[in-house]
Structures are given as C-alpha cells and as structure tokens.
Amino acid sequence: MWFDFVFFLSQPLSCSWVFLWEKGYQETDSVVSSVTTKVKGVTMTNTSALGSRIWDVADYVIPPQEKNAVFVMTNMIFTLNQSQSHCPELPDDNTECNNNSSCVPGYVSTHSNGIQTGACIPYNSSIKTCEVFAWCPVEDDYHIPNPAFLQGAENFTILVKNNIWYPKFNFSKRNILPTFSSSYLKNCIHDAQTDPFCPIFRLGKIVEAAGQNFQEMAVEGGVMGLQINWDCNLDRAASHCVPKYSFRRLDNKDSANTISPGYNFRFAKYYKDSSGIETRTLIKAYGIRLDIIVFGKAGKFDVIPTMINIGSGLALFGVATVLCDIVVLYCMKKRYFYREKKYKYVEDYELGTSET
Amino acid sequence: MWFDFVFFLSQPLSCSWVFLWEKGYQETDSVVSSVTTKVKGVTMTNTSALGSRIWDVADYVIPPQEKNAVFVMTNMIFTLNQSQSHCPELPDDNTECNNNSSCVPGYVSTHSNGIQTGACIPYNSSIKTCEVFAWCPVEDDYHIPNPAFLQGAENFTILVKNNIWYPKFNFSKRNILPTFSSSYLKNCIHDAQTDPFCPIFRLGKIVEAAGQNFQEMAVEGGVMGLQINWDCNLDRAASHCVPKYSFRRLDNKDSANTISPGYNFRFAKYYKDSSGIETRTLIKAYGIRLDIIVFGKAGKFDVIPTMINIGSGLALFGVATVLCDIVVLYCMKKRYFYREKKYKYVEDYELGTSET
Amino acid sequence: MWFDFVFFLSQPLSCSWVFLWEKGYQETDSVVSSVTTKVKGVTMTNTSALGSRIWDVADYVIPPQEKNAVFVMTNMIFTLNQSQSHCPELPDDNTECNNNSSCVPGYVSTHSNGIQTGACIPYNSSIKTCEVFAWCPVEDDYHIPNPAFLQGAENFTILVKNNIWYPKFNFSKRNILPTFSSSYLKNCIHDAQTDPFCPIFRLGKIVEAAGQNFQEMAVEGGVMGLQINWDCNLDRAASHCVPKYSFRRLDNKDSANTISPGYNFRFAKYYKDSSGIETRTLIKAYGIRLDIIVFGKAGKFDVIPTMINIGSGLALFGVATVLCDIVVLYCMKKRYFYREKKYKYVEDYELGTSET
C-alpha cells in the first residue's frame, strides 16, 4: 500500500530529527551557579560644593557586596549637613502657600519630605512654602546633573567570577578558563570579537554592547543584564563547555517611558558633630545596576530518556496501520471490498458456517 | 466491533483535550525579569530617648537597594552611644552571679554580648552579672516596643518597576502599562478590585491582602511575598499579556511559632567623638522584607511541539487495535474462533496445505 | 508468535518501571521559598593598631541583611584615618619613579588608587613613587593577615529560617519542624549524623562538611553553598516532607587558581572630624559568603499525567505489531508465505476473483 510507504518514510525521518536534533537521548540538568564581582577604577570630580574629590570603589559601590548583582553610582544629588529641624518644604502645587492658613499642622503626603508644622515661610525671595519638620534642608532634586557627575565610570572595570555546577553530572567549571595566563587576566578586557572569554568587563562597553549610550544612561541610571549562558553537551569534552556572554538593558528606555525612568535610590551617611547632634549627608544615587543572570542546560547520554524517546518514536509507527485502515475502510472507492476482507462476522460461526 | 467504537471515541476526546487545554501545540519559555523598587513616605516618632524625630527613606530602608527585595524597618530597639569598654552582661541564667568565682575570664557563649573578664558587678540595684568586655552598654532587647515604633509605615508606598522578557520569542514588556497616564501613575494605589494594574502598593494593604494584621506584623517583623505572574499566550495580542499580582506572607506566623518569630537583624551607625574614640548606635531593626517573586510562562504556536504532540496523540489510536485483540483473543466466549481466524499456522504451508 | 511474547513481556515491564519509578502518575511542582538568616557570636582581637577590640554581628555582617545570603567577615585589612589629600602611590612596576618626569599628571589606570599629580615623592626611605590625589594614606594590601584576623568566626552560628510553598498543591512547610522543642532549638547545632534537622549551623562545621579547612578559607575568604533540598512525595504524609541539607564550596579553590582567589570586597566607614573634614576607615573585608540555595520538586497523584503516561505507555504495545510485521515480512526465511497471507491484491477483485 503506498500509504504505508509514505508513513514509513515520514515517521522515521521526523522521529530521528526530534531524537537527534532535540537530543532526546540525553538526560538534562539545570545549572547551579555562584557569582562574585569586583569593580575597579577611580575618578575625580571638581565641584564648588565638594571641591576636588576622588571617588573609589568604597565610595560608589552600594551596598559594598550583593549576590549576583553590583551597583555602580554614576550620578548623584547630595544634600550636605542635614539635621532634624524645621525648614520650608520643596515648592510644588500642594506646598506653596501665601499665609499660615494654607498649611495644615501634621499634614503629610506620599511626596512629603517631612511633617507640616502649619506655618508658611519663605522658600526663597519669591516663593513661600509650608514649613515642615524634617531632615533640613530638604533635598532639591529638580535638576539632575547632566553630564553625569561620575562620567569617568565609563572606564571602570568589573571582574565577574562565576562558578557553575551541574549536580546530576557532578560537573563544575568556572568562567576563568584554565587556559588563561595570569598576565592575560591582569590586562584583558572582554570584547565579543577579540576576547570573548575574558571575564573583565569595561562598564562603558557593556552598555554599548546592549545598544545604549553610556553617558546618556549614566545621567538617570538603569539596569543592565549580563547574561552568562552555560549550555553544554557533556557527551563532548569538558573544554567545549564555555560561557557565552551577552548584554541587555533590562529596564525599558523608550520615549514613552517618562514616568520614573532610570534607576536611583537614596541613602545617607550619618555623622555626629562635636556637640553630639546627628547630621547626615543625603545622597540620591543614580547609577547602573548590573544583574548577572546565569542560565544553561547540560545534556548527557542516559539510557532512560533514550528508551522513553525511542519507545514513543516507535509508537508512532503504529499510527500508519490505523491511518491506513481508516483511509482504506472509509474513504476509498473499493472500501466495501476492504471491509469484507477486514471483518469477519462471528454470527456465521454460530450458524455453522465455518468457511473462511 | 463495539470496542473499536468506544476507543475511537474516547481517545480523540482525551487527546484533543490534552492538546487544546494544555496547549500541546505551543512552544513555551520561562520569564527573565528585572525588578526595581522605590519606597516613599515619612513618619514621626516622639520618644524620651530621641525626642521628636522624623524618619525618611534613607533612615528606614536597609540596605538602600537590593535585588528583587526591599526591607522597610517598622520597629526598632536602639542602644545609643556604645563604645568598646567593660560593663555588666545582660542578666540570664548563665550570667547572673554572686561573686567573682561564678565568672570565668575569657568565657564566651553563642548568646554572649562580649567576653567575660571574670568580675561580678552590679547590673542594677538588685542583680549582679558577670562583667564583659563588649560594645557597652549592652543591648537590652527583652521588651519589644508595642505598638511598633514606626507605626506610620502602614502608609508608606512602594513603586515596583518590573521588566520581563521571554528570550525565545524576543517579547518584552513592563508592568507600567502603556495605557497609563502620567497623572494616574502619580496618584494610584494598587487595589485588587479598582486598580489591579497600578504598580504602586501601600505597605498596609499588601499585608492585609495576605490576610495579616499590619500593626501586629510591624511589631516583630515578617517576610512578605509580592508575586507577579506573567503567564501569557503570545498567540493572542500583546495587550492581553498583563501582570497578575498576589500577596502572601512567606514566614509562617502561627501560634506554635514561638521560636524566633518575625524578621529582624542588627546594624550599627558608627561615629567618632571629638577625641577620636569610636562610638556607635546599635539598632535591632524589626521590619517587613518584601520579596518580589516574578514567574510565568509564555506559549506560542510552534510546529515542532505540535508535531510531537499530534504524533503521540495519534499513537494512542494504535492502542485500540491491541486492546481489542487482547479482549477478543483471551477474554471472550468465542475466543477460539477468533484465534483460529487470527493465526495461521505456518506448518500447514510446509505440509503443502496452501488453503487460505 | 514468539516475537509477540517477548514484546508483550518487555514492554509492560519497561513501561511500569518508568511509570512507577519516575512517578509518571504524579503532577509535579517547583518550590517557592523564603530564607532569613541570623548570625550569632562575638570574638576579640588584639592588635597594635586597634588595641583590644570586640567584634559582634553589627561589625562583621555586611550588609546587615541580604536575601538568601549572608556574608561573615573573617579577615580584613584596615586603613585608618584616610582623607582626601596627596600621598605617594603604592609601589609597583608602573608607579615607582626616580624623578617627576616619570609621572604623568592626570594619569590613572585600572589598578590606581588615585590620580597622579606629576610629582615623584618618597614612599619610604628606599623607594620613590608617583604622588596621587586620593584617599590618603593609600591601602597597602600586599600582606594578608595569616592566620585570619577574626579566627574566632569558626564558632559563629547561623540560624537559617526557611519557609517553602508548593503553589499547585497549596502545601507549605518550614525548616523549623513542629516536633522541635524550644529548648532543643536554643542549643542544637546541625550535624549530619546526630542533628540532621537542626537549622542552626556552626560556620566552621559548614566549611568542614564541604571538605575545606576553615582557618585556611578564612584568610582569603570564599563562597559556600548551603543547599536545602525539599523533594517531597505529597502522596505520603506531610511529616515525611523534610529538608535535606548539604554543603558545597561554590568558588573553586584549586592549586591552579592563583588569580584573584577567595572572596573580598572593600567598604568604608565615614566620619567627620571636629573641623568638618571627612575622614574614613577603609576596610578590605575577606570572608565567607553563604549562599542559601533552596530547591526541590513535589509530586502528587493527578489524573491528567496519569492518563497521558498510561496512554503513551500503552501506545508502545502497538510497536510489537509493527516490529513483528517487519521481522516476519522482510527478515524471515518464510517471508514469502507471510507476505502472501498479509497482502491481498485488489486487482483480483476487479478481475472478478472473489476467492478469499
């Protein structure tokens, strides 16, 4: 029957394809990983408020260590010498006032810097705002420094150390490959073309590889993903199992995205002055958070998935018989003849007719 | 044969069900996500030790930024002006003493605040405890402030920005939907009924949505899970792919849970006084840690899973033939007749009997 | 036919094995988990630079709280009283100089501590290096304290609180088992043999259980994995669903690993002196980061996977028919006879031959 022929040809082909291409003969396992990072680089700024100032790792990496992530501050708004006291609130629609009657004592909203005292006092020579009890003076973040305060962050480097483990196969490897020499690691910078396995990344290059402009991103901050893909076929030599790096901006930066763009947070450094009064420097830190995302699957020959897949592959052959039957018995011109051949009526037997 | 009929009816039904309901025709992918959070809100406290004091984001979010999580301090025990010196240990079964012979110089246990000097000194007018070299005075955390110190945390809001990506389909989306207006985002508060897509959450509402009492939880702290589910059928329009938020308390709070309930940790702010001696304020911070858990699967039509699933579905038809054979040949009254029909004995051939 | 017999015997066996051993009748779900940690312990150090000093949790856990991880400082290089000023760079191949002409004003490299001013000044009595504008004096990390500064960290304990949830089955459990008494939890220390379920771990024991030497690891730091496996068969009683703990060093420590071994990072404590000048203590912290990795799968009987697996299992029976046909029709000596039996030529019918 030519149906048989078509099915017997198509099925082994599709089965083999699934079996070989999708590696149906392999047991698979997901990666377990640990990541540590180390940022290097210094940069200098020169402003009227702070004078000349040098910034190093302990200044711009906040918090100093994180799991699978690192934050590098690239821009900031600092408010020096805040103390708990009374001062005028930042002017906006709700806080501008003409006299005390516009200000409600005890009022506080989501966007407040403090709690209103009920007084209306001058913010500057032209505007009066409600007085608040707060960390004073309150932060004025209307103007974000542009270009970014720590422009030099473009040249900072990040060493990413990544160890992976496939528990089922007890296979572990690190992204510092055994072929690296000590001097190579001291000086290399990751580059997709020339140094695809160097685990030291220049911050500016990461951002550019994701199709972004570093200096633009540095102003308002953002979240970058550094993806490390460890897909490995462990039926081959371990030296073929190498990381593939890729870069991606994880927070959408599009023109429509005008609401709370970028990435920033506030933190403070606390001091006590000589009279024991607590003061603080409030910092609104804009910067680049680098999430290191490790993923991958390893496959290795194993008898159980092989059997299961061969089994269900072979089961497909059974389909041919059934489909042929259906076609032959219900669709073809000569179907009556086939039915006659296919089915024997048992009643015949009981009537004594034993003819085949 | 009526067996055939039953099987031919039941199998397509069950197969189709699996195929359509479980979407056997779709390739699936798991979500890659990035989360950033921003807390807003201020609150005031008035205590004899600290006087009036305002608390803002830089004071109560510790550390200032985390990946996929945020901690908001709601209660605290602070120990002011600690310095490295000698003082009496906190009284308990092991540290209370009558005279120096009860105290072992150099002794330190898991629950110690410092290292014993061997002296037995008055803790207060009635109790004597072993002297320790420690950050003095030692913290006394027997009494947790109740109601919580930062009760006002109930009204703090958390903006959760979440970008997701399905790598296989190169589909990305953010939880700030394109339909939102800027003014909506400034003022909305998430509510399961009225604002199910607003990404700004009131801390008190999150806790209540998980069936907990905020003021109770604020006292000893706890861990809340904010789950964002991005299950998407990408065969439909992208606008149907929207996040589903749900809330859950992740640390079991039950009556039996009397051992180390809630969530707290200690941190310190370090100062140097005018003579260069280091002092610190030790803070035992109780609060709510919000873990943002993003999960989801996207499915999209693809020819390979479709073929595989159709194949194995059809393979089931083959079962009918086999089951019918078994029933007919081994179970039915007329089995001998069927066997006679089914099997031809090849010996006949060799004996020259060629009758069919 | 004996083929039939072999296949009918082998297939049910292999199918049943897959079905029962691999639990083909169960729906499975992956674990959702929350982890909190609490470190306890104090230790004392005695150095010329710092004098006697006690170290407690607030001093050595950095940052004070993390999600699914905790860092315990075991060794450190501290640089006291740094301020923004000019000082000689640390000597190395690039920074040693004889006169000002060797130093380039404004030069800064990845390994610099600051920005060169162009002057060449004495580093000590024998060496001159380029002057830099930096946090001065610059850190000298050539010599790592050995033995580790906080040797006593070996006896620190870590309480790990872990709640898990299987969403599909709405099954949740915590690693503090209901059978624990309060006094047991106060005093137990995890031990694979005697206390396999105690959730309090001695840092030294964790490291040893992973086959490492604590005091060696404490010097340069490292990353440890504490794995909690919650594989559960929910067809059995909930009390059988218990965590299995295992320990693993996640950063490879091998002889070849001489480049940037261990785990360290830098952070600073900022002070203001009485004249308002900011100074800081820079700390290069070496230590043990403990990643808590929770994984597991729960299975529970469900009708859909059962049907699917029975179906595809039964489908395999169809294979017997097809394989037998192939063997009989193409391979056996008597194949011509079988073919004659198998195929009826329909042409006969058209010729009027209706004989069976």
Short mmCIF file of all heavy atoms in Angstrom, two decimals, chain B residues 62-112:
data_model
loop_
_atom_site.label_atom_id
_atom_site.label_comp_id
_atom_site.label_asym_id
_atom_site.label_seq_id
_atom_site.Cartn_x
_atom_site.Cartn_y
_atom_site.Cartn_z
N ILE B 62 16.93 49.45 54.54
CA ILE B 62 18.27 48.94 54.82
C ILE B 62 18.44 47.58 54.19
O ILE B 62 17.65 46.68 54.49
CB ILE B 62 18.48 48.81 56.34
CG1 ILE B 62 18.17 50.15 57.02
CG2 ILE B 62 19.89 48.35 56.67
CD1 ILE B 62 17.48 49.96 58.34
N PRO B 63 19.44 47.32 53.39
CA PRO B 63 20.32 48.30 52.78
C PRO B 63 19.54 49.15 51.78
O PRO B 63 18.43 48.78 51.42
CB PRO B 63 21.37 47.44 52.09
CG PRO B 63 20.68 46.15 51.82
CD PRO B 63 19.69 45.96 52.91
N PRO B 64 20.12 50.27 51.32
CA PRO B 64 19.36 51.20 50.49
C PRO B 64 18.84 50.60 49.18
O PRO B 64 17.86 51.09 48.65
CB PRO B 64 20.33 52.34 50.22
CG PRO B 64 21.67 51.85 50.59
CD PRO B 64 21.47 50.79 51.61
N GLN B 65 19.51 49.58 48.65
CA GLN B 65 18.98 48.93 47.46
C GLN B 65 19.32 47.45 47.49
O GLN B 65 20.39 47.05 47.96
CB GLN B 65 19.50 49.59 46.18
CG GLN B 65 20.94 49.38 45.89
CD GLN B 65 21.19 48.41 44.74
OE1 GLN B 65 20.27 47.91 44.12
NE2 GLN B 65 22.45 48.12 44.48
N GLU B 66 18.38 46.66 47.04
CA GLU B 66 18.55 45.23 46.96
C GLU B 66 17.95 44.75 45.65
O GLU B 66 17.11 45.42 45.07
CB GLU B 66 17.79 44.53 48.10
CG GLU B 66 18.53 44.42 49.40
CD GLU B 66 17.71 43.65 50.40
OE1 GLU B 66 16.77 44.23 50.98
OE2 GLU B 66 18.00 42.48 50.63
N LYS B 67 18.35 43.56 45.24
CA LYS B 67 17.81 42.98 44.02
C LYS B 67 16.57 42.18 44.36
O LYS B 67 16.63 41.26 45.16
CB LYS B 67 18.90 42.07 43.41
CG LYS B 67 18.65 41.61 42.02
CD LYS B 67 19.78 40.69 41.59
CE LYS B 67 19.32 39.77 40.50
NZ LYS B 67 20.34 38.76 40.19
N ASN B 68 15.44 42.52 43.74
CA ASN B 68 14.20 41.77 43.92
C ASN B 68 13.68 41.75 45.34
O ASN B 68 12.94 40.83 45.72
CB ASN B 68 14.35 40.32 43.44
CG ASN B 68 14.65 40.23 41.98
OD1 ASN B 68 14.55 41.23 41.27
ND2 ASN B 68 15.03 39.07 41.51
N ALA B 69 14.08 42.71 46.15
CA ALA B 69 13.61 42.73 47.53
C ALA B 69 13.78 44.13 48.08
O ALA B 69 14.54 44.94 47.56
CB ALA B 69 14.40 41.74 48.38
N VAL B 70 13.04 44.43 49.15
CA VAL B 70 13.20 45.70 49.83
C VAL B 70 12.82 45.48 51.28
O VAL B 70 11.90 44.73 51.59
CB VAL B 70 12.35 46.81 49.15
CG1 VAL B 70 10.87 46.52 49.25
CG2 VAL B 70 12.66 48.17 49.72
N PHE B 71 13.58 46.08 52.18
CA PHE B 71 13.28 45.95 53.61
C PHE B 71 12.87 47.30 54.16
O PHE B 71 13.58 48.29 54.00
CB PHE B 71 14.51 45.43 54.36
CG PHE B 71 14.30 45.44 55.86
CD1 PHE B 71 13.64 44.40 56.49
CD2 PHE B 71 14.76 46.49 56.63
CE1 PHE B 71 13.43 44.40 57.86
CE2 PHE B 71 14.56 46.51 58.01
CZ PHE B 71 13.89 45.47 58.62
N VAL B 72 11.72 47.34 54.82
CA VAL B 72 11.24 48.55 55.45
C VAL B 72 11.20 48.32 56.97
O VAL B 72 10.49 47.44 57.45
CB VAL B 72 9.83 48.92 54.93
CG1 VAL B 72 9.27 50.10 55.70
CG2 VAL B 72 9.88 49.21 53.45
N MET B 73 11.96 49.10 57.70
CA MET B 73 12.00 48.97 59.15
C MET B 73 10.70 49.49 59.74
O MET B 73 10.24 50.58 59.38
CB MET B 73 13.19 49.75 59.69
CG MET B 73 13.38 49.64 61.18
SD MET B 73 15.05 50.13 61.67
CE MET B 73 15.01 51.88 61.26
N THR B 74 10.09 48.71 60.63
CA THR B 74 8.83 49.15 61.25
C THR B 74 8.96 49.29 62.75
O THR B 74 8.14 49.93 63.39
CB THR B 74 7.69 48.16 60.95
OG1 THR B 74 8.10 46.86 61.40
CG2 THR B 74 7.36 48.11 59.48
N ASN B 75 9.96 48.66 63.32
CA ASN B 75 10.12 48.70 64.76
C ASN B 75 11.61 48.59 65.06
O ASN B 75 12.37 48.12 64.22
CB ASN B 75 9.37 47.53 65.41
CG ASN B 75 9.00 47.81 66.85
OD1 ASN B 75 9.28 48.89 67.38
ND2 ASN B 75 8.39 46.85 67.50
N MET B 76 12.04 49.05 66.22
CA MET B 76 13.47 49.01 66.48
C MET B 76 13.76 49.12 67.97
O MET B 76 12.96 49.66 68.74
CB MET B 76 14.16 50.14 65.75
CG MET B 76 13.66 51.50 66.14
SD MET B 76 14.18 52.79 65.01
CE MET B 76 15.91 52.86 65.38
N ILE B 77 14.90 48.55 68.34
CA ILE B 77 15.43 48.75 69.67
C ILE B 77 16.79 49.39 69.46
O ILE B 77 17.67 48.79 68.83
CB ILE B 77 15.58 47.41 70.42
CG1 ILE B 77 14.21 46.81 70.68
CG2 ILE B 77 16.36 47.60 71.71
CD1 ILE B 77 14.25 45.39 71.18
N PHE B 78 16.96 50.65 69.93
CA PHE B 78 18.26 51.26 69.69
C PHE B 78 19.03 51.41 71.00
O PHE B 78 18.46 51.60 72.08
CB PHE B 78 18.17 52.58 68.93
CG PHE B 78 17.09 53.49 69.42
CD1 PHE B 78 17.32 54.35 70.48
CD2 PHE B 78 15.85 53.47 68.82
CE1 PHE B 78 16.32 55.18 70.92
CE2 PHE B 78 14.84 54.30 69.27
CZ PHE B 78 15.07 55.16 70.32
N THR B 79 20.32 51.26 70.89
CA THR B 79 21.21 51.35 72.03
C THR B 79 22.22 52.43 71.67
O THR B 79 23.07 52.22 70.81
CB THR B 79 21.90 49.99 72.28
OG1 THR B 79 20.90 48.97 72.25
CG2 THR B 79 22.62 49.98 73.60
N LEU B 80 22.06 53.59 72.30
CA LEU B 80 22.85 54.76 71.91
C LEU B 80 24.23 54.74 72.55
O LEU B 80 24.43 54.18 73.63
CB LEU B 80 22.12 56.03 72.33
CG LEU B 80 20.76 56.28 71.66
CD1 LEU B 80 20.00 57.39 72.39
CD2 LEU B 80 20.95 56.63 70.19
N ASN B 81 25.18 55.37 71.86
CA ASN B 81 26.49 55.64 72.44
C ASN B 81 27.21 54.42 72.99
O ASN B 81 27.75 54.45 74.08
CB ASN B 81 26.35 56.69 73.56
CG ASN B 81 25.96 58.02 72.98
OD1 ASN B 81 26.50 58.44 71.96
ND2 ASN B 81 25.00 58.68 73.63
N GLN B 82 27.21 53.35 72.23
CA GLN B 82 28.01 52.20 72.63
C GLN B 82 29.48 52.48 72.35
O GLN B 82 29.82 53.08 71.33
CB GLN B 82 27.60 50.96 71.85
CG GLN B 82 26.29 50.33 72.30
CD GLN B 82 26.07 48.97 71.65
OE1 GLN B 82 26.43 48.78 70.49
NE2 GLN B 82 25.50 48.04 72.38
N SER B 83 30.34 52.03 73.25
CA SER B 83 31.77 52.10 72.97
C SER B 83 32.42 50.83 73.50
O SER B 83 31.84 50.11 74.30
CB SER B 83 32.39 53.33 73.61
OG SER B 83 32.29 53.21 75.01
N GLN B 84 33.62 50.56 73.01
CA GLN B 84 34.33 49.35 73.45
C GLN B 84 34.81 49.56 74.87
O GLN B 84 35.76 50.32 75.10
CB GLN B 84 35.50 49.09 72.51
CG GLN B 84 35.10 48.89 71.06
CD GLN B 84 35.14 47.45 70.63
OE1 GLN B 84 35.83 46.64 71.23
NE2 GLN B 84 34.39 47.12 69.59
N SER B 85 34.20 48.88 75.83
CA SER B 85 34.62 49.04 77.22
C SER B 85 34.10 47.87 78.05
O SER B 85 33.76 46.83 77.51
CB SER B 85 34.12 50.39 77.76
OG SER B 85 32.72 50.47 77.59
N HIS B 86 34.07 48.06 79.35
CA HIS B 86 33.63 46.98 80.24
C HIS B 86 32.29 47.34 80.86
O HIS B 86 32.10 48.47 81.29
CB HIS B 86 34.66 46.76 81.35
CG HIS B 86 35.97 46.29 80.83
ND1 HIS B 86 36.95 47.14 80.38
CD2 HIS B 86 36.46 45.04 80.65
CE1 HIS B 86 38.00 46.45 79.96
NE2 HIS B 86 37.73 45.17 80.11
N CYS B 87 31.39 46.39 80.95
CA CYS B 87 30.09 46.64 81.57
C CYS B 87 29.47 45.31 81.96
O CYS B 87 29.93 44.25 81.52
CB CYS B 87 29.18 47.40 80.59
SG CYS B 87 29.02 46.63 78.97
N PRO B 88 28.41 45.34 82.76
CA PRO B 88 27.78 44.07 83.15
C PRO B 88 27.00 43.47 82.00
O PRO B 88 26.38 44.19 81.21
CB PRO B 88 26.85 44.48 84.29
CG PRO B 88 26.60 45.93 84.10
CD PRO B 88 27.81 46.50 83.45
N GLU B 89 27.08 42.14 81.87
CA GLU B 89 26.34 41.41 80.82
C GLU B 89 24.85 41.48 81.14
O GLU B 89 24.45 41.73 82.27
CB GLU B 89 26.85 39.95 80.80
CG GLU B 89 26.18 38.99 79.84
CD GLU B 89 26.33 39.35 78.37
OE1 GLU B 89 25.63 40.29 77.94
OE2 GLU B 89 27.13 38.72 77.67
N LEU B 90 24.04 41.24 80.14
CA LEU B 90 22.59 41.16 80.30
C LEU B 90 22.28 39.97 81.21
O LEU B 90 22.83 38.89 81.02
CB LEU B 90 21.97 40.94 78.92
CG LEU B 90 20.58 41.47 78.66
CD1 LEU B 90 20.54 42.99 78.80
CD2 LEU B 90 20.15 41.07 77.25
N PRO B 91 21.39 40.13 82.21
CA PRO B 91 21.17 39.01 83.12
C PRO B 91 20.38 37.87 82.47
O PRO B 91 19.39 38.11 81.80
CB PRO B 91 20.36 39.64 84.27
CG PRO B 91 19.81 40.92 83.75
CD PRO B 91 20.63 41.34 82.59
N ASP B 92 20.87 36.65 82.60
CA ASP B 92 20.08 35.44 82.30
C ASP B 92 20.66 34.32 83.15
O ASP B 92 21.52 34.55 84.00
CB ASP B 92 20.06 35.14 80.80
CG ASP B 92 21.37 34.61 80.25
OD1 ASP B 92 22.25 34.25 81.05
OD2 ASP B 92 21.52 34.56 79.03
N ASP B 93 20.19 33.11 82.93
CA ASP B 93 20.60 32.01 83.81
C ASP B 93 22.11 31.86 83.92
O ASP B 93 22.65 31.50 84.97
CB ASP B 93 20.01 30.68 83.27
CG ASP B 93 18.51 30.68 83.35
OD1 ASP B 93 17.95 31.65 83.92
OD2 ASP B 93 17.88 29.74 82.85
N ASN B 94 22.82 32.12 82.84
CA ASN B 94 24.25 31.87 82.83
C ASN B 94 25.09 33.04 83.31
O ASN B 94 26.24 32.86 83.69
CB ASN B 94 24.71 31.53 81.40
CG ASN B 94 24.14 30.21 80.94
OD1 ASN B 94 24.12 29.25 81.71
ND2 ASN B 94 23.66 30.18 79.71
N THR B 95 24.53 34.26 83.26
CA THR B 95 25.38 35.42 83.52
C THR B 95 25.16 36.04 84.89
O THR B 95 25.97 36.82 85.34
CB THR B 95 25.13 36.50 82.44
OG1 THR B 95 23.75 36.88 82.50
CG2 THR B 95 25.46 36.00 81.06
N GLU B 96 24.06 35.72 85.57
CA GLU B 96 23.87 36.23 86.93
C GLU B 96 24.89 35.60 87.86
O GLU B 96 25.25 34.43 87.70
CB GLU B 96 22.44 35.96 87.42
CG GLU B 96 21.44 36.91 86.76
CD GLU B 96 20.02 36.73 87.28
OE1 GLU B 96 19.86 36.45 88.47
OE2 GLU B 96 19.08 36.85 86.47
N CYS B 97 25.37 36.40 88.82
CA CYS B 97 26.43 35.87 89.68
C CYS B 97 26.33 36.51 91.06
O CYS B 97 25.64 37.51 91.26
CB CYS B 97 27.81 36.17 89.07
SG CYS B 97 28.10 37.95 88.82
N ASN B 98 26.99 35.88 92.01
CA ASN B 98 27.06 36.44 93.36
C ASN B 98 28.43 37.02 93.65
O ASN B 98 28.55 38.03 94.34
CB ASN B 98 26.72 35.36 94.39
CG ASN B 98 25.26 34.94 94.25
OD1 ASN B 98 24.39 35.78 94.15
ND2 ASN B 98 25.02 33.64 94.24
N ASN B 99 29.43 36.36 93.14
CA ASN B 99 30.78 36.87 93.35
C ASN B 99 31.67 36.47 92.19
O ASN B 99 31.25 35.72 91.29
CB ASN B 99 31.34 36.33 94.68
CG ASN B 99 31.17 34.82 94.74
OD1 ASN B 99 31.53 34.11 93.80
ND2 ASN B 99 30.58 34.32 95.83
N ASN B 100 32.88 36.93 92.17
CA ASN B 100 33.77 36.75 91.03
C ASN B 100 33.98 35.29 90.65
O ASN B 100 34.26 34.98 89.49
CB ASN B 100 35.13 37.40 91.31
CG ASN B 100 35.02 38.91 91.32
OD1 ASN B 100 33.93 39.46 91.11
ND2 ASN B 100 36.13 39.59 91.58
N SER B 101 33.85 34.39 91.62
CA SER B 101 34.15 32.99 91.32
C SER B 101 33.14 32.39 90.34
O SER B 101 33.41 31.37 89.72
CB SER B 101 34.18 32.18 92.62
OG SER B 101 32.89 32.23 93.22
N SER B 102 31.97 33.01 90.18
CA SER B 102 30.97 32.48 89.23
C SER B 102 31.32 32.85 87.79
O SER B 102 30.71 32.34 86.86
CB SER B 102 29.58 33.02 89.54
OG SER B 102 29.36 33.09 90.92
N CYS B 103 32.23 33.77 87.59
CA CYS B 103 32.52 34.28 86.25
C CYS B 103 33.88 33.80 85.78
O CYS B 103 34.87 33.91 86.51
CB CYS B 103 32.48 35.81 86.24
SG CYS B 103 30.88 36.46 86.75
N VAL B 104 33.93 33.24 84.57
CA VAL B 104 35.16 32.67 84.04
C VAL B 104 35.80 33.67 83.08
O VAL B 104 35.20 34.00 82.06
CB VAL B 104 34.86 31.35 83.30
CG1 VAL B 104 36.14 30.69 82.83
CG2 VAL B 104 34.04 30.42 84.17
N PRO B 105 37.00 34.16 83.38
CA PRO B 105 37.63 35.10 82.45
C PRO B 105 37.81 34.47 81.06
O PRO B 105 38.23 33.32 80.96
CB PRO B 105 39.00 35.38 83.08
CG PRO B 105 38.89 34.93 84.49
CD PRO B 105 37.87 33.85 84.53
N GLY B 106 37.43 35.18 80.05
CA GLY B 106 37.59 34.67 78.69
C GLY B 106 36.41 33.88 78.18
O GLY B 106 36.33 33.54 77.00
N TYR B 107 35.43 33.61 79.05
CA TYR B 107 34.28 32.80 78.64
C TYR B 107 33.40 33.57 77.65
O TYR B 107 33.13 34.76 77.82
CB TYR B 107 33.44 32.40 79.86
CG TYR B 107 32.16 31.70 79.51
CD1 TYR B 107 32.14 30.34 79.22
CD2 TYR B 107 30.95 32.41 79.45
CE1 TYR B 107 30.96 29.70 78.88
CE2 TYR B 107 29.77 31.77 79.11
CZ TYR B 107 29.78 30.42 78.83
OH TYR B 107 28.61 29.78 78.49
N VAL B 108 32.97 32.88 76.62
CA VAL B 108 32.06 33.48 75.65
C VAL B 108 31.15 32.38 75.12
O VAL B 108 31.60 31.27 74.84
CB VAL B 108 32.84 34.18 74.51
CG1 VAL B 108 33.75 33.22 73.77
CG2 VAL B 108 31.92 34.88 73.54
N SER B 109 29.84 32.65 75.05
CA SER B 109 28.92 31.65 74.51
C SER B 109 28.22 32.25 73.29
O SER B 109 28.41 33.41 72.95
CB SER B 109 27.89 31.24 75.56
OG SER B 109 26.82 32.16 75.56
N THR B 110 27.38 31.46 72.67
CA THR B 110 26.67 31.91 71.47
C THR B 110 25.82 33.13 71.76
O THR B 110 25.65 34.01 70.92
CB THR B 110 25.78 30.77 70.94
OG1 THR B 110 26.58 29.61 70.75
CG2 THR B 110 25.11 31.16 69.64
N HIS B 111 25.27 33.17 72.98
CA HIS B 111 24.34 34.26 73.28
C HIS B 111 25.01 35.44 73.98
O HIS B 111 24.34 36.37 74.41
CB HIS B 111 23.18 33.71 74.12
CG HIS B 111 22.45 32.59 73.44
ND1 HIS B 111 21.51 32.81 72.47
CD2 HIS B 111 22.57 31.25 73.55
CE1 HIS B 111 21.07 31.64 72.03
NE2 HIS B 111 21.70 30.68 72.66
N SER B 112 26.34 35.41 74.12
CA SER B 112 27.06 36.48 74.81
C SER B 112 27.07 37.76 73.99
O SER B 112 27.03 37.74 72.76
CB SER B 112 28.52 36.07 75.05
OG SER B 112 28.59 34.91 75.84
#
